Amino acid sequence: MVRSREVRILDVIFQILWAVAFFNSPIKITGIRKDIDLPKKLICRNTVQGRYKLADDNGYICTALSVSPWTRCCPESGERFSCQGCNLISKCCNSYEYCVSCCLNPSMTQEDLVLKLKIAKPVTAGTHSSIFDFCSGRCRHNSANVVHENAYSSDFHHCYFLQTNSSGLIGPNFERRLTGIDILIGKQGESCNLACISKGQSCVSNKLSVINSCELLEKYMSCKGSCFASMGADQPAEVVNNAPKHMYPGACLYSQTDSMLSCEGFHPQTKRLCPCA
């Protein structure tokens, strides 16, 4: 009994001495360098349904066989933001993959507008989580690309345009900003300079951005119920009725980029809306 108690006391003393020796001795601590991080695996999203071609969320186009099996990304040595087979006026393409690649180009689609766009009806709608979500979804076949519900309106049936009934540019001071301005409709293929001169007036270039809206286009033109955001020096304008089907005859176009608007701009398949004085 006494022997057992001495053993326990010695054991406690040993543990105390070991702890003191451990904490008082210099200890070399090793670890991972702070300036070196573990490599992060890059994973791309892509248009997986392509049999021959793929477009990834970086805008690259590649063949299905050349896509990386680990990252699902296309080689960066390939085509990027390619608009091959696309009509840049109607923003429609004859290939789904090239439609997505072209749509991802920042000069073609404004990301801030896309991420605010409602996916469905306003009451229950969400918004797109990324520009790739918008492009990959918008470029699929949709009701705007068919006629009689069972036929495509043209071979360019993959479209990435923003369809809207309002550009939101008309504000409370709208009428005051157009005081003294006559709004004229040009002839097919005619610039605003020529349209205004034919009435003995001049085109007022700084008012083009004021009338660059669906509201004004629908007030002065028929628009056939369609008004699309587009890009071009000939806008705002209406596509003439005898234009090719892939250009959406009768539709109205307003420019997403005011800096492109010009009194000199024209297009053989549109009629311009012009501010003259």
Side-chain angles (χ1 to χ4, degrees), residues 177-178 181 203-211 261-263 275:
R177 295 173 66 189
L178 287 179
I181 299 296
C203 176
V204 185
S205 59
N206 62 358
K207 298 299 181 181
L208 284 168
S209 60
V210 181
I211 66 171
L261 301 176
S262 166
C263 286

Side-chain angles (χ1 to χ4, degrees), residues 91 108-118 127-128 131 134 162 167 229-230 254-257:
K91 292 192 172 184
M108 294 294 174
T109 307
Q110 294 186 16
E111 187 172 7
D112 57 337
L113 294 179
V114 165
L115 297 184
K116 294 177 184 177
L117 188 68
K118 296 293 185 180
T127 54
H128 296 280
I131 190 170
F134 166 79
L162 292 171
S167 63
S230 185
Y254 73 92
S255 178
Q256 297 181 86
T257 309

Side-chain angles (χ1 to χ4, degrees), residues 188-264:
Q188 179 176 345
E190 187 176 52
S191 70
C192 279
N193 274 342
L194 292 178
C196 294
I197 289 174
S198 68
K199 301 296 182 180
Q201 297 179 315
S202 298
C203 176
V204 185
S205 59
N206 62 358
K207 298 299 181 181
L208 284 168
S209 60
V210 181
I211 66 171
N212 182 40
S213 69
C214 288
E215 288 89 340
L216 258 293
L217 285 163
E218 290 169 349
K219 180 179 179 179
Y220 289 94
M221 296 174 164
S222 64
C223 298
K224 290 189 175 180
S226 299
C227 186
F228 302 136
S230 185
M231 296 178 70
D234 65 306
Q235 296 159 17
E238 181 183 51
V239 183
V240 295
N241 290 325
N242 59 356
K245 288 184 178 181
H246 68 270
M247 294 184 65
Y248 296 93
C252 288
L253 308 172
Y254 73 92
S255 178
Q256 297 181 86
T257 309
D258 285 350
S259 60
M260 294 187 67
L261 301 176
S262 166
C263 286
E264 294 82 18

Side-chain angles (χ1 to χ4, degrees), residues 260-276:
M260 294 187 67
L261 301 176
S262 166
C263 286
E264 294 82 18
F266 68 92
H267 189 279
Q269 302 294 349
T270 64
K271 294 186 297 182
R272 297 200 62 181
L273 192 67
C274 304
C276 305

Side-chain angles (χ1 to χ4, degrees), residues 29-38:
I29 300 176
T30 60
I32 299 175
R33 286 175 54 183
K34 293 183 179 180
D35 60 335
I36 297 180
D37 195 6
L38 295 176

Side-chain angles (χ1 to χ4, degrees), residues 9-47:
I9 293 173
L10 289 174
D11 186 55
V12 170
I13 293 173
F14 175 78
Q15 291 182 18
I16 293 173
L17 292 174
W18 183 88
V20 171
F22 178 82
F23 287 109
N24 287 337
S25 62
I27 300 175
K28 186 177 181 180
I29 300 176
T30 60
I32 299 175
R33 286 175 54 183
K34 293 183 179 180
D35 60 335
I36 297 180
D37 195 6
L38 295 176
K40 295 180 180 179
K41 188 175 183 181
L42 175 64
I43 301 294
C44 289
R45 299 175 63 192
N46 62 46
T47 54

